[in-house]
Amino acid sequence: MYTEQGVVRIARRENNNKRKYLVVNRLQGKHVPVKPGEALSMFGALADTLKGKYEGEKLLVVGFAETATAIGAAVAAELGADYIQTTRELVEGASYLYFSEEHSHATEQKLVRDELDRAIHAIDRIIFIEDEVTTGKTILNIVNILREQYSERIKYSVASILNGMDETALDTYRKYPIELFWLIKTDHAAYTEIAEAYRGDGSYIVCKNQQGADLIPTAHIKIKRHMDTRRMVRAEAYIKYCETLYQDIIRQIDLDSVQKLLVLGTEEYMYPALYAACRLEGQGRDVRFHATTRSPIAVSTEDDYPLHTRYELRSLYDSGRTTYVYDLQKYDTVVIITDAGDGMTEGIRSLVYALRLCGNERVILVST
């Protein structure tokens, strides 16, 4: 059983007047370091709410960037469905469906439409996967776009770890109709007040504009094969890809003497890193997983606040974009797994600098 008290922590968004709080799920593996098995267990529990509901239907699972990309992939794998994630990145040679995420610091989202155009005639139901649904407006935005572009016969469902929709929002979904599933029902009435009460006096460390030979990773392993969930994939094939990626990593990295290990994903690229982290944890190691993020969140010294130290970075995907990572610790080895590709030197330097500040001497970069 998952409960609001056991899972949810409230943080304060920075410079966002549309929604002043951020719900931090301590088991999700995004902002807070987590044991990878605990994150995947929660994602599996969400998948269980859907199993057996749509027998005989051809399903497409859509995970929302950036915080629900790993959740979506895990659910799609459990259901044996096709999978695609939304994105804020540029996908080479792609055309898009654009929609907005109104409360976000980065409102524009898009869905690559190329594979949708080819496959939509065979899809019976689209299941949207989110970490949290509060008003449901973002999903209604994209449902309306999909209905305009494609067949009215397609049915829609939403599954989220947290659901904070009020009765008015729930009634709107009933009328569409869009089926809803969740693990934890939340009440957001007091969240703004809780967030504003925190001091925000944590450590804010700017790691951009760093230079020096010591900021190069200990090793850089380039994996030639890549499967991009910004385009539609079969979940079964994606899991096989993640296993192959993991096998490539352990063949090329000596982890025999490593006990305390961090596996770090980057922005939207979370599931392959989480998968590898869970496999490494299964060998008896003390493993933590989390990821860099676009979300600027205030940090505070208070014990009950979820985040205490913020490292401001250059994005691996766009050196002109600021990203963040929270609450780094010292590990025997840190493995960064990314699909950022070429042009990530400044982003890597800023991330390695942040890791070095915490005493991490062995930092290995895996790029696909």
Side-chain angles (χ1 to χ4, degrees):
M1 283 291 293
Y2 295 99
T3 65
E4 183 175 9
Q5 184 177 11
V7 171
V8 171
R9 303 291 182 270
I10 304 304
R12 197 173 80 209
R13 291 177 186 264
E14 192 173 77
N15 303 323
N16 189 326
N17 291 322
K18 296 176 183 177
R19 187 179 295 171
K20 295 184 178 181
Y21 64 85
L22 181 84
V23 178
V24 175
N25 180 337
R26 69 177 189 85
L27 297 178
Q28 188 177 328
K30 185 59 181 178
H31 309 106
V32 178
V34 66
K35 293 181 178 179
E38 291 186 354
L40 282 174
S41 290
M42 170 172 273
F43 303 166
L46 182 62
D48 287 344
T49 67
L50 293 160
K51 285 181 178 175
K53 301 293 185 183
Y54 304 122
E55 296 292 339
E57 292 188 17
K58 176 71 171 176
L59 304 177
L60 172 64
V61 171
V62 178
F64 277 87
E66 60 178 25
T67 50
T69 56
I71 307 172
V75 171
E78 290 282 340
L79 298 179
D82 290 342
Y83 179 61
I84 190 171
Q85 65 166 83
T86 68
T87 185
R88 295 186 178 97
E89 302 295 343
L90 292 174
V91 180
E92 188 175 350
S95 58
Y96 307 102
L97 297 173
Y98 293 90
F99 64 101
S100 63
E101 190 174 13
E102 295 165 8
H103 65 273
S104 178
H105 55 279
T107 58
E108 185 184 87
Q109 284 257 29
K110 52 188 188 271
L111 191 64
V112 172
R113 67 175 297 164
D114 302 73
E115 285 84 359
L116 271 178
D117 286 348
R118 291 192 291 271
I120 199 74
H121 69 279
I123 294 168
D124 298 307
R125 181 178 299 271
I126 295 175
I127 303 177
F128 297 104
I129 304 295
E130 268 283 28
D131 55 327
E132 171 203 5
V133 177
T134 305
T135 65
K137 289 181 180 178
T138 299
I139 292 168
L140 290 184
N141 286 341
I142 192 168
V143 166
N144 287 332
I145 291 167
L146 289 168
R147 284 184 166 178
E148 287 175 9
Q149 295 290 322
Y150 303 115
S151 172
E152 288 277 345
R153 67 169 182 78
I154 297 171
K155 298 181 282 291
Y156 297 92
S157 298
V158 179
S160 58
I161 304 292
L162 311 175
N163 183 294
M165 297 168 72
D166 61 20
E167 276 303 315
T168 301
L170 290 170
D171 193 49
T172 299
Y173 269 62
R174 292 185 193 107
K175 289 175 181 175
Y176 253 76
I178 300 172
E179 292 194 73
L180 289 162
F181 302 86
W182 60 78
L183 285 185
I184 303 168
K185 195 76 179 74
T186 55
D187 182 355
H188 291 233
Y191 285 0
T192 298
E193 184 180 353
I194 292 169
E196 291 181 330
Y198 286 115
R199 295 192 298 265
D201 60 346
S203 298
Y204 298 81
I205 303 170
V206 178
C207 301
K208 298 186 289 187
N209 307 319
Q210 301 299 326
Q211 300 293 328
D214 60 330
L215 300 184
I216 297 172
T218 312
H220 182 185
I221 296 167
K222 297 182 180 181
I223 308 292
K224 291 184 179 179
R225 61 176 62 87
H226 178 57
M227 184 174 284
D228 190 355
T229 55
R230 298 176 186 92
R231 294 183 177 274
M232 194 184 302
V233 300
R234 289 200 58 80
E236 182 182 2
Y238 191 54
I239 297 303
K240 288 180 179 177
Y241 159 74
C242 291
E243 175 63 23
T244 302
L245 176 62
Y246 163 72
Q247 294 293 339
D248 285 343
I249 290 169
I250 61 172
R251 271 197 301 270
Q252 298 183 62
I253 302 175
D254 179 9
L255 296 173
D256 289 346
S257 61
V258 174
Q259 182 57 31
K260 189 176 183 184
L261 176 69
L262 171 65
V263 180
L264 198 64
T266 56
E267 300 183 44
E268 296 177 4
Y269 193 69
M270 292 179 62
Y271 187 79
L274 176 57
Y275 181 96
C278 195
R279 294 283 275 118
L280 290 163
E281 184 182 36
Q283 298 174 359
R285 294 183 174 87
D286 182 13
V287 183
R288 294 295 183 275
F289 169 80
H290 56 133
T292 62
T293 177
R294 291 192 185 202
S295 298
I297 310 168
V299 291
S300 192
T301 59
E302 291 141 302
D303 289 340
D304 62 339
Y305 194 80
L307 303 167
H308 307 288
T309 306
R310 186 177 89 181
Y311 302 87
E312 185 175 317
L313 315 169
R314 290 191 182 278
S315 171
L316 274 67
Y317 299 84
D318 177 356
S319 63
R321 183 166 78 219
T322 298
T323 55
Y324 308 87
V325 67
Y326 297 88
D327 287 359
L328 293 172
Q329 302 169 28
K330 182 179 179 180
Y331 299 87
D332 299 334
T333 297
V334 177
V335 180
I336 303 162
I337 304 180
T338 186
D339 68 344
D342 298 329
M344 60 178 168
T345 302
E346 290 185 54
I348 281 294
R349 285 185 183 277
S350 65
L351 180 52
V352 171
Y353 179 73
L355 290 163
R356 294 270 194 261
L357 288 177
C358 303
N360 293 289
E361 296 300 322
R362 191 179 188 222
V363 179
I364 296 168
L365 173 64
V366 178
S367 59
T368 65

